[in-house]
mmCIF file of all heavy atoms in Angstrom:
data_model
loop_
_atom_site.group_PDB
_atom_site.id
_atom_site.type_symbol
_atom_site.label_atom_id
_atom_site.label_comp_id
_atom_site.label_asym_id
_atom_site.label_seq_id
_atom_site.Cartn_x
_atom_site.Cartn_y
_atom_site.Cartn_z
ATOM 1 N N PHE A 577 82.349 123.493 16.820
ATOM 2 C CA PHE A 577 81.169 123.435 15.941
ATOM 3 C C PHE A 577 81.557 123.618 14.474
ATOM 4 O O PHE A 577 80.883 123.136 13.584
ATOM 5 C CB PHE A 577 80.154 124.523 16.305
ATOM 6 C CG PHE A 577 79.406 124.303 17.594
ATOM 7 C CD1 PHE A 577 79.759 123.276 18.473
ATOM 8 C CD2 PHE A 577 78.330 125.117 17.937
ATOM 9 C CE1 PHE A 577 79.065 123.083 19.665
ATOM 10 C CE2 PHE A 577 77.631 124.924 19.111
ATOM 11 C CZ PHE A 577 77.998 123.919 19.981
ATOM 12 N N VAL A 578 82.605 124.429 14.207
ATOM 13 C CA VAL A 578 83.045 124.693 12.829
ATOM 14 C C VAL A 578 84.575 124.748 12.824
ATOM 15 O O VAL A 578 85.208 124.825 13.876
ATOM 16 C CB VAL A 578 82.491 126.046 12.282
ATOM 17 C CG1 VAL A 578 80.977 126.043 12.215
ATOM 18 C CG2 VAL A 578 82.986 127.235 13.118
ATOM 19 N N HIS A 579 85.147 124.739 11.602
ATOM 20 C CA HIS A 579 86.602 124.882 11.503
ATOM 21 C C HIS A 579 87.007 126.342 11.387
ATOM 22 O O HIS A 579 88.007 126.766 11.938
ATOM 23 C CB HIS A 579 87.125 124.109 10.289
ATOM 24 C CG HIS A 579 86.932 122.643 10.437
ATOM 25 N ND1 HIS A 579 87.565 121.905 11.424
ATOM 26 C CD2 HIS A 579 86.147 121.763 9.766
ATOM 27 C CE1 HIS A 579 87.193 120.642 11.337
ATOM 28 N NE2 HIS A 579 86.316 120.529 10.347
ATOM 29 N N GLU A 580 86.215 127.124 10.627
ATOM 30 C CA GLU A 580 86.600 128.512 10.416
ATOM 31 C C GLU A 580 85.448 129.503 10.537
ATOM 32 O O GLU A 580 85.575 130.526 11.171
ATOM 33 C CB GLU A 580 87.204 128.696 9.015
ATOM 34 C CG GLU A 580 88.653 128.327 8.927
ATOM 35 C CD GLU A 580 89.160 128.447 7.506
ATOM 36 O OE1 GLU A 580 88.791 129.434 6.828
ATOM 37 O OE2 GLU A 580 89.879 127.543 7.069
ATOM 38 N N ARG A 581 84.341 129.170 9.884
ATOM 39 C CA ARG A 581 83.287 130.174 9.738
ATOM 40 C C ARG A 581 81.923 129.605 10.103
ATOM 41 O O ARG A 581 81.649 128.431 9.877
ATOM 42 C CB ARG A 581 83.226 130.662 8.279
ATOM 43 C CG ARG A 581 84.474 131.375 7.787
ATOM 44 C CD ARG A 581 84.512 131.414 6.266
ATOM 45 N NE ARG A 581 83.296 132.058 5.726
ATOM 46 C CZ ARG A 581 83.149 133.374 5.639
ATOM 47 N NH1 ARG A 581 84.111 134.189 6.017
ATOM 48 N NH2 ARG A 581 82.044 133.882 5.155
ATOM 49 N N TRP A 582 81.070 130.487 10.605
ATOM 50 C CA TRP A 582 79.746 130.061 11.048
ATOM 51 C C TRP A 582 78.915 129.446 9.927
ATOM 52 O O TRP A 582 78.076 128.582 10.178
ATOM 53 C CB TRP A 582 78.999 131.227 11.712
ATOM 54 C CG TRP A 582 78.632 132.356 10.779
ATOM 55 C CD1 TRP A 582 79.378 133.441 10.469
ATOM 56 C CD2 TRP A 582 77.408 132.483 10.039
ATOM 57 N NE1 TRP A 582 78.707 134.248 9.573
ATOM 58 C CE2 TRP A 582 77.498 133.688 9.300
ATOM 59 C CE3 TRP A 582 76.251 131.713 9.926
ATOM 60 C CZ2 TRP A 582 76.474 134.128 8.460
ATOM 61 C CZ3 TRP A 582 75.227 132.150 9.091
ATOM 62 C CH2 TRP A 582 75.347 133.346 8.370
ATOM 63 N N GLU A 583 79.176 129.866 8.685
ATOM 64 C CA GLU A 583 78.356 129.351 7.571
ATOM 65 C C GLU A 583 78.499 127.828 7.401
ATOM 66 O O GLU A 583 77.618 127.189 6.823
ATOM 67 C CB GLU A 583 78.727 130.033 6.252
ATOM 68 C CG GLU A 583 78.288 131.489 6.153
ATOM 69 C CD GLU A 583 79.386 132.468 6.562
ATOM 70 O OE1 GLU A 583 80.234 132.089 7.400
ATOM 71 O OE2 GLU A 583 79.381 133.605 6.060
ATOM 72 N N GLU A 584 79.613 127.273 7.920
ATOM 73 C CA GLU A 584 79.777 125.805 7.836
ATOM 74 C C GLU A 584 78.656 125.054 8.573
ATOM 75 O O GLU A 584 78.428 123.879 8.313
ATOM 76 C CB GLU A 584 81.116 125.375 8.463
ATOM 77 C CG GLU A 584 82.345 125.880 7.750
ATOM 78 C CD GLU A 584 83.582 125.758 8.652
ATOM 79 O OE1 GLU A 584 83.713 124.752 9.375
ATOM 80 O OE2 GLU A 584 84.408 126.691 8.646
ATOM 81 N N LEU A 585 78.003 125.737 9.500
ATOM 82 C CA LEU A 585 76.936 125.076 10.274
ATOM 83 C C LEU A 585 75.835 124.544 9.369
ATOM 84 O O LEU A 585 75.078 123.652 9.750
ATOM 85 C CB LEU A 585 76.327 126.065 11.281
ATOM 86 C CG LEU A 585 77.232 126.532 12.431
ATOM 87 C CD1 LEU A 585 76.591 127.714 13.136
ATOM 88 C CD2 LEU A 585 77.466 125.384 13.410
ATOM 89 N N LYS A 586 75.745 125.105 8.169
ATOM 90 C CA LYS A 586 74.693 124.673 7.259
ATOM 91 C C LYS A 586 74.849 123.198 6.900
ATOM 92 O O LYS A 586 73.878 122.520 6.549
ATOM 93 C CB LYS A 586 74.702 125.535 5.987
ATOM 94 C CG LYS A 586 73.431 125.350 5.210
ATOM 95 C CD LYS A 586 73.233 126.359 4.128
ATOM 96 C CE LYS A 586 71.885 126.086 3.468
ATOM 97 N NZ LYS A 586 71.649 126.948 2.331
ATOM 98 N N GLU A 587 76.059 122.714 6.984
ATOM 99 C CA GLU A 587 76.317 121.293 6.673
ATOM 100 C C GLU A 587 76.239 120.422 7.924
ATOM 101 O O GLU A 587 76.455 119.220 7.853
ATOM 102 C CB GLU A 587 77.714 121.127 6.046
ATOM 103 C CG GLU A 587 78.006 122.044 4.870
ATOM 104 C CD GLU A 587 76.944 121.948 3.796
ATOM 105 O OE1 GLU A 587 76.424 120.838 3.557
ATOM 106 O OE2 GLU A 587 76.597 123.000 3.201
ATOM 107 N N SER A 588 75.961 121.051 9.063
ATOM 108 C CA SER A 588 75.988 120.284 10.314
ATOM 109 C C SER A 588 74.619 119.662 10.579
ATOM 110 O O SER A 588 73.588 120.293 10.370
ATOM 111 C CB SER A 588 76.357 121.240 11.456
ATOM 112 O OG SER A 588 75.876 120.762 12.680
ATOM 113 N N SER A 589 74.600 118.410 11.012
ATOM 114 C CA SER A 589 73.294 117.842 11.370
ATOM 115 C C SER A 589 72.925 118.249 12.793
ATOM 116 O O SER A 589 71.772 118.535 13.093
ATOM 117 C CB SER A 589 73.319 116.322 11.226
ATOM 118 O OG SER A 589 74.429 115.813 11.933
ATOM 119 N N GLU A 590 73.930 118.354 13.639
ATOM 120 C CA GLU A 590 73.643 118.636 15.050
ATOM 121 C C GLU A 590 73.278 120.103 15.294
ATOM 122 O O GLU A 590 72.452 120.413 16.136
ATOM 123 C CB GLU A 590 74.873 118.267 15.888
ATOM 124 C CG GLU A 590 74.542 117.954 17.323
ATOM 125 C CD GLU A 590 75.825 117.694 18.124
ATOM 126 O OE1 GLU A 590 76.842 117.290 17.497
ATOM 127 O OE2 GLU A 590 75.810 117.919 19.330
ATOM 128 N N HIS A 591 73.943 121.003 14.539
ATOM 129 C CA HIS A 591 73.768 122.430 14.835
ATOM 130 C C HIS A 591 73.161 123.206 13.671
ATOM 131 O O HIS A 591 73.411 124.396 13.516
ATOM 132 C CB HIS A 591 75.117 123.042 15.229
ATOM 133 C CG HIS A 591 75.719 122.381 16.419
ATOM 134 N ND1 HIS A 591 75.121 122.389 17.662
ATOM 135 C CD2 HIS A 591 76.856 121.649 16.553
ATOM 136 C CE1 HIS A 591 75.860 121.710 18.508
ATOM 137 N NE2 HIS A 591 76.918 121.238 17.876
ATOM 138 N N LEU A 592 72.357 122.510 12.880
ATOM 139 C CA LEU A 592 71.778 123.163 11.714
ATOM 140 C C LEU A 592 70.940 124.375 12.100
ATOM 141 O O LEU A 592 70.995 125.429 11.456
ATOM 142 C CB LEU A 592 70.917 122.154 10.930
ATOM 143 C CG LEU A 592 70.249 122.722 9.679
ATOM 144 C CD1 LEU A 592 71.295 123.222 8.689
ATOM 145 C CD2 LEU A 592 69.353 121.664 9.012
ATOM 146 N N ARG A 593 70.163 124.245 13.167
ATOM 147 C CA ARG A 593 69.287 125.367 13.525
ATOM 148 C C ARG A 593 70.097 126.608 13.927
ATOM 149 O O ARG A 593 69.670 127.734 13.692
ATOM 150 C CB ARG A 593 68.310 124.972 14.631
ATOM 151 C CG ARG A 593 67.018 125.785 14.585
ATOM 152 C CD ARG A 593 65.953 125.168 15.456
ATOM 153 N NE ARG A 593 64.682 125.857 15.358
ATOM 154 C CZ ARG A 593 63.729 125.561 14.467
ATOM 155 N NH1 ARG A 593 63.910 124.604 13.570
ATOM 156 N NH2 ARG A 593 62.592 126.225 14.464
ATOM 157 N N LEU A 594 71.235 126.392 14.523
ATOM 158 C CA LEU A 594 72.102 127.525 14.866
ATOM 159 C C LEU A 594 72.511 128.276 13.607
ATOM 160 O O LEU A 594 72.648 129.507 13.625
ATOM 161 C CB LEU A 594 73.333 127.032 15.640
ATOM 162 C CG LEU A 594 74.346 128.112 16.057
ATOM 163 C CD1 LEU A 594 73.698 129.185 16.934
ATOM 164 C CD2 LEU A 594 75.526 127.465 16.798
ATOM 165 N N TYR A 595 72.704 127.549 12.512
ATOM 166 C CA TYR A 595 72.994 128.218 11.246
ATOM 167 C C TYR A 595 71.876 129.210 10.925
ATOM 168 O O TYR A 595 72.130 130.367 10.573
ATOM 169 C CB TYR A 595 73.151 127.197 10.109
ATOM 170 C CG TYR A 595 73.121 127.862 8.747
ATOM 171 C CD1 TYR A 595 74.243 128.525 8.263
ATOM 172 C CD2 TYR A 595 71.945 127.865 7.979
ATOM 173 C CE1 TYR A 595 74.204 129.175 7.033
ATOM 174 C CE2 TYR A 595 71.904 128.512 6.757
ATOM 175 C CZ TYR A 595 73.034 129.173 6.284
ATOM 176 O OH TYR A 595 72.984 129.831 5.087
ATOM 177 N N TYR A 596 70.635 128.772 11.066
ATOM 178 C CA TYR A 596 69.511 129.659 10.721
ATOM 179 C C TYR A 596 69.374 130.814 11.709
ATOM 180 O O TYR A 596 68.993 131.918 11.332
ATOM 181 C CB TYR A 596 68.215 128.853 10.577
ATOM 182 C CG TYR A 596 68.235 128.021 9.311
ATOM 183 C CD1 TYR A 596 68.593 126.675 9.338
ATOM 184 C CD2 TYR A 596 67.968 128.610 8.074
ATOM 185 C CE1 TYR A 596 68.650 125.923 8.170
ATOM 186 C CE2 TYR A 596 68.034 127.870 6.903
ATOM 187 C CZ TYR A 596 68.372 126.526 6.953
ATOM 188 O OH TYR A 596 68.440 125.816 5.790
ATOM 189 N N TYR A 597 69.692 130.557 12.966
ATOM 190 C CA TYR A 597 69.671 131.666 13.934
ATOM 191 C C TYR A 597 70.664 132.751 13.501
ATOM 192 O O TYR A 597 70.353 133.947 13.480
ATOM 193 C CB TYR A 597 70.067 131.181 15.343
ATOM 194 C CG TYR A 597 69.085 130.256 16.018
ATOM 195 C CD1 TYR A 597 69.525 129.312 16.966
ATOM 196 C CD2 TYR A 597 67.724 130.319 15.761
ATOM 197 C CE1 TYR A 597 68.643 128.461 17.610
ATOM 198 C CE2 TYR A 597 66.830 129.469 16.409
ATOM 199 C CZ TYR A 597 67.297 128.531 17.331
ATOM 200 O OH TYR A 597 66.423 127.695 17.971
ATOM 201 N N LEU A 598 71.875 132.313 13.156
ATOM 202 C CA LEU A 598 72.903 133.282 12.798
ATOM 203 C C LEU A 598 72.629 133.900 11.428
ATOM 204 O O LEU A 598 72.939 135.071 11.178
ATOM 205 C CB LEU A 598 74.288 132.627 12.849
ATOM 206 C CG LEU A 598 74.696 132.219 14.269
ATOM 207 C CD1 LEU A 598 75.988 131.411 14.253
ATOM 208 C CD2 LEU A 598 74.850 133.439 15.182
ATOM 209 N N LYS A 599 71.998 133.119 10.574
ATOM 210 C CA LYS A 599 71.623 133.628 9.250
ATOM 211 C C LYS A 599 70.626 134.793 9.399
ATOM 212 O O LYS A 599 70.712 135.797 8.704
ATOM 213 C CB LYS A 599 71.000 132.474 8.451
ATOM 214 C CG LYS A 599 70.629 132.820 7.028
ATOM 215 C CD LYS A 599 71.856 132.968 6.157
ATOM 216 C CE LYS A 599 71.473 133.396 4.750
ATOM 217 N NZ LYS A 599 72.590 134.041 4.055
ATOM 218 N N LEU A 600 69.682 134.618 10.305
ATOM 219 C CA LEU A 600 68.706 135.695 10.559
ATOM 220 C C LEU A 600 69.441 136.973 10.977
ATOM 221 O O LEU A 600 69.180 138.066 10.456
ATOM 222 C CB LEU A 600 67.730 135.264 11.666
ATOM 223 C CG LEU A 600 66.803 136.384 12.166
ATOM 224 C CD1 LEU A 600 65.658 136.599 11.188
ATOM 225 C CD2 LEU A 600 66.261 136.080 13.557
ATOM 226 N N ILE A 601 70.349 136.827 11.920
ATOM 227 C CA ILE A 601 71.102 137.985 12.427
ATOM 228 C C ILE A 601 71.908 138.603 11.274
ATOM 229 O O ILE A 601 71.915 139.828 11.086
ATOM 230 C CB ILE A 601 72.079 137.529 13.550
ATOM 231 C CG1 ILE A 601 71.327 136.824 14.684
ATOM 232 C CG2 ILE A 601 72.954 138.677 14.038
ATOM 233 C CD1 ILE A 601 70.686 137.687 15.695
ATOM 234 N N SER A 602 72.566 137.761 10.516
ATOM 235 C CA SER A 602 73.412 138.243 9.427
ATOM 236 C C SER A 602 72.580 138.945 8.345
ATOM 237 O O SER A 602 72.951 140.014 7.851
ATOM 238 C CB SER A 602 74.185 137.057 8.838
ATOM 239 O OG SER A 602 74.882 137.455 7.687
ATOM 240 N N ASN A 603 71.460 138.353 7.988
ATOM 241 C CA ASN A 603 70.592 138.962 6.965
ATOM 242 C C ASN A 603 70.059 140.319 7.405
ATOM 243 O O ASN A 603 69.944 141.248 6.607
ATOM 244 C CB ASN A 603 69.385 138.064 6.672
ATOM 245 C CG ASN A 603 69.733 136.922 5.724
ATOM 246 O OD1 ASN A 603 70.824 136.875 5.177
ATOM 247 N ND2 ASN A 603 68.798 135.995 5.557
ATOM 248 N N ARG A 604 69.703 140.412 8.666
ATOM 249 C CA ARG A 604 69.187 141.705 9.145
ATOM 250 C C ARG A 604 70.310 142.725 9.180
ATOM 251 O O ARG A 604 70.115 143.887 8.800
ATOM 252 C CB ARG A 604 68.552 141.541 10.528
ATOM 253 C CG ARG A 604 67.242 140.775 10.440
ATOM 254 C CD ARG A 604 66.232 141.278 11.443
ATOM 255 N NE ARG A 604 64.943 140.654 11.187
ATOM 256 C CZ ARG A 604 64.155 140.122 12.107
ATOM 257 N NH1 ARG A 604 64.527 140.153 13.382
ATOM 258 N NH2 ARG A 604 62.999 139.580 11.774
ATOM 259 N N ALA A 605 71.487 142.297 9.631
ATOM 260 C CA ALA A 605 72.611 143.235 9.728
ATOM 261 C C ALA A 605 73.016 143.753 8.349
ATOM 262 O O ALA A 605 73.389 144.918 8.200
ATOM 263 C CB ALA A 605 73.788 142.561 10.421
ATOM 264 N N SER A 606 72.914 142.887 7.346
ATOM 265 C CA SER A 606 73.340 143.318 6.015
ATOM 266 C C SER A 606 72.224 144.033 5.266
ATOM 267 O O SER A 606 72.439 144.572 4.183
ATOM 268 C CB SER A 606 73.787 142.106 5.200
ATOM 269 O OG SER A 606 72.668 141.273 4.970
ATOM 270 N N GLY A 607 71.023 144.041 5.827
ATOM 271 C CA GLY A 607 69.899 144.682 5.156
ATOM 272 C C GLY A 607 69.245 143.800 4.097
ATOM 273 O O GLY A 607 68.347 144.246 3.391
ATOM 274 N N LYS A 608 69.679 142.532 4.010
ATOM 275 C CA LYS A 608 69.044 141.644 3.027
ATOM 276 C C LYS A 608 67.587 141.404 3.371
ATOM 277 O O LYS A 608 66.747 141.229 2.500
ATOM 278 C CB LYS A 608 69.763 140.288 3.018
ATOM 279 C CG LYS A 608 71.039 140.291 2.229
ATOM 280 C CD LYS A 608 71.536 138.859 1.977
ATOM 281 C CE LYS A 608 72.940 138.910 1.426
ATOM 282 N NZ LYS A 608 73.934 138.246 2.273
#
Side-chain angles (χ1 to χ4, degrees):
F577 288 9
V578 297
H579 294 296
E580 277 176 41
R581 297 162 57 82
W582 67 271
E583 289 95 331
E584 295 163 39
L585 293 168
K586 195 168 182 185
E587 309 307 323
S588 155
S589 52
E590 204 184 335
H591 301 297
L592 180 61
R593 207 166 184 89
L594 179 58
Y595 166 78
Y596 288 98
Y597 292 152
L598 294 173
K599 183 72 183 158
L600 171 79
I601 303 278
S602 173
N603 280 352
R604 289 215 172 134
S606 66
K608 280 193 191 119

